[in-house]
């Protein structure tokens, strides 16, 4: 996903409300948007700094172009955040800095941050309209405190069983 789950966004806001100075997210293997909440930065994902194009579990990993782009940020001075946008070569051997500057001036990041300023309810609608995993039958987590999330997590686990089975068949 290029956009954070609504629950992740809400959780980031709560962490800042509790005193965090910044939120630096990761894991989805691509740069996601950012926003400033109460004067503090939230970077939902910095993407991959380096992701080797290797063989893994019998499969040759080859990542799409947006997974080879990463973001490094400087938080030296709260209120002015610097960035380096970098890209890994297709063969995985080199890392090139594409641009650097102030986060607020990064066009690439701005395009991914069209949700800034939306309320939680507005963001859920935005996410549902724009989420990539819709076609993969993955649910939207709106709030991690909801009891409905337990059922969603079980669905994701059960959904994974035929995927794992199919992956094993392909390997053989």
């Amino acid at each position: 996903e290029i956009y954070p789950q609504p629950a992740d966004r809400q959780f980031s806001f709560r962490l800042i409300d509790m005193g965090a100075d910044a939120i630096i997210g990761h894991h989805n293997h691509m740069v996601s948007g950012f926003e400033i909440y109460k004067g503090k930065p939230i970077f939902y994902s910095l993407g991959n700094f380096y992701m080797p194009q290797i063989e893994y579990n019998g499969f040759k990993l080859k990542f799409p172009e947006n997974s080879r782009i990463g973001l490094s940020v400087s938080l030296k001075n709260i209120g002015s955040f610097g960035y380096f946008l970098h890209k890994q070569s297709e063969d995985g051997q080199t890392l090139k800095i594409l641009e650097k500057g102030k986060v607020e001036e990064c066009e690439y990041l701005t395009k991914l941050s069209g949700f800034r300023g939306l309320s939680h309810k507005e963001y859920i609608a935005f996410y549902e309209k724009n989420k990539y995993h819709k076609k993969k039958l993955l649910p939207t987590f709106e709030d991690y405190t909801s009891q409905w999330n337990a059922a969603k997590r079980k669905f994701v686990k059960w959904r994974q069983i035929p995927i794992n089975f199919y992956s094993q068949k392909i390997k053989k």
Side-chain angles (χ1 to χ4, degrees):
E1 285 295 345
I2 61 171
Y3 300 113
Q5 281 275 353
D8 290 339
R9 184 173 184 253
Q10 186 179 56
F11 185 60
S12 296
F13 285 12
R14 286 183 184 156
L15 288 172
I16 287 178
D17 288 340
M18 292 169 54
D21 290 325
I23 306 297
I24 309 294
H26 64 92
H27 184 70
N28 65 344
H29 300 289
M30 61 185 74
V31 176
S32 291
F34 89 105
E35 58 190 317
I36 305 296
Y37 175 70
K38 294 188 175 179
K40 298 183 178 176
I42 302 171
F43 295 93
Y44 291 103
S45 177
L46 299 183
N48 293 323
F49 182 76
Y50 173 75
M51 192 71 160
Q53 312 279 338
I54 59 172
E55 191 168 303
Y56 180 77
N57 258 358
F59 293 99
K60 175 74 174 160
L61 295 180
K62 184 168 170 71
F63 298 97
E65 185 168 350
N66 64 350
S67 291
R68 292 187 288 116
I69 296 174
L71 184 72
S72 297
V73 296
S74 169
L75 303 176
K76 282 184 189 175
N77 185 4
I78 295 294
S80 176
F81 313 106
Y83 78 95
F84 292 89
L85 192 66
H86 42 81
K87 185 174 184 180
Q88 183 179 335
S89 63
E90 196 168 340
D91 65 4
Q93 299 301 309
T94 59
L95 199 60
K96 178 182 176 185
I97 294 177
L98 301 175
E99 60 184 62
K100 64 181 182 175
K102 291 183 179 179
V103 167
E104 299 82 10
E105 298 167 359
C106 179
E107 282 186 45
Y108 186 82
L109 195 53
T110 299
K111 286 179 188 175
L112 298 171
S113 306
F115 55 84
R116 290 186 288 187
L118 296 180
S119 70
H120 185 59
K121 188 175 180 179
E122 291 168 330
Y123 181 73
I124 291 168
F126 171 89
Y127 181 82
E128 284 296 328
K129 180 181 175 194
N130 295 290
K131 76 177 182 176
Y132 169 75
H133 282 138
K134 210 180 292 186
K135 62 185 175 187
K136 294 188 176 188
L137 299 176
L138 287 169
T140 296
F141 291 88
E142 296 175 6
D143 182 341
Y144 287 131
T145 61
S146 165
Q147 294 203 359
W148 178 231
N149 285 328
K152 289 179 182 180
R153 283 192 297 275
K154 283 182 183 174
F155 168 78
V156 171
K157 283 183 181 181
W158 281 100
R159 175 192 157 279
Q160 192 63 37
I161 292 171
I163 292 170
N164 291 346
F165 178 76
Y166 181 69
S167 294
Q168 292 300 319
K169 288 277 191 196
I170 290 175
K171 267 175 69 173
K172 290 181 182 179

